[in-house]
Amino acid sequence: FDALDAELDLMREHDEEIPQWEFCEGFLAALVCMRREVPAEEYWPVLLGETFKPMAHMEFVWRWRRRREEIVAALDAEVELLEDERTYQPEALDTRGAVLALPEDERGDAVLSELPAYGQVWALGFMYAVESWPDDWEAPRDADAAEMLDAALEDIVALTEDDRGTPAVSM
């Protein structure tokens, strides 16, 4: 993940619109969950802009595909408990929690209200993919499946919003 993040940092030097890895992870998870497999030539411009050249960033592309396969395997795994190591573990940072874990004199200029909530950036990436391909996220005809999809998307939308609750679980 550090290598993916470092590659994105390098790309951001030329295009400040390049998202951070946590956003990309959410976007990738949504691609995995879609009804159809979206080809790379279709999703790269949406995620990384029209100027992204996969051949110039082959290590990033290779690591992306590797992470995609990990997500596919994790989401397909039959697990009973979330603690099972085979479950999907999103690469999400608790930036706010990390800052709160520091002694006050070490927090620097960090404004807690401006830091993203845990999972917020991941959820924004997921929903960006959903919004980019709305036809692929239309509710199925089966009422139970449609209700399940709607509830799942509502939960992810809730994660896109700021969490103003009092921190309750230590990092």
Side-chain angles (χ1 to χ4, degrees):
F1 298 114
D2 290 339
L4 286 161
D5 221 12
E7 186 77 20
L8 290 168
D9 288 343
L10 287 173
M11 287 184 235
R12 208 172 293 111
E13 289 176 7
H14 303 288
D15 181 358
E16 62 187 33
E17 297 296 315
I18 298 293
Q20 58 189 320
W21 174 249
E22 187 174 353
F23 183 94
C24 294
E25 169 92 7
F27 186 91
L28 178 54
L31 289 175
V32 168
C33 293
M34 286 175 62
R35 288 188 180 133
R36 68 181 174 100
E37 188 166 334
V38 178
E41 58 273 6
E42 189 177 336
Y43 64 73
W44 287 133
V46 173
L47 179 63
L48 299 174
E50 295 291 334
T51 61
F52 178 73
K53 304 285 185 249
M55 294 302 286
H57 301 282
M58 282 310 294
E59 187 166 332
F60 178 84
V61 170
W62 178 81
R63 290 178 191 276
W64 170 277
R65 288 183 184 185
R66 185 170 145 202
R67 180 60 180 157
R68 183 189 183 288
E69 294 310 311
E70 290 171 356
I71 293 171
V72 167
L75 291 176
D76 283 345
E78 292 199 27
V79 295
E80 297 293 323
L81 300 169
L82 289 178
E83 291 78 20
D84 188 320
E85 65 185 33
R86 295 172 299 152
T87 61
Y88 172 53
Q89 302 293 323
E91 185 65 21
L93 304 172
D94 187 2
T95 307
R96 191 180 294 170
V99 171
L100 283 170
L102 294 171
E104 272 192 55
D105 60 324
E106 293 181 26
R107 293 181 188 171
D109 298 338
V111 179
L112 293 177
S113 63
E114 293 177 7
L115 297 175
Y118 181 62
Q120 186 176 18
V121 176
W122 178 93
L124 289 167
F126 191 102
M127 291 310 299
Y128 183 64
V130 170
E131 292 163 4
S132 295
W133 290 280
D135 293 345
D136 291 301
W137 289 92
E138 284 191 19
R141 288 186 209 126
D142 179 270
D144 290 338
E147 187 177 322
M148 196 171 16
L149 175 64
D150 189 50
L153 289 175
E154 280 181 25
D155 289 343
I156 294 173
V157 167
L159 287 173
T160 67
E161 298 166 6
D162 196 19
D163 180 0
R164 289 287 164 213
T166 303
V169 179
S170 174
M171 285 183 48

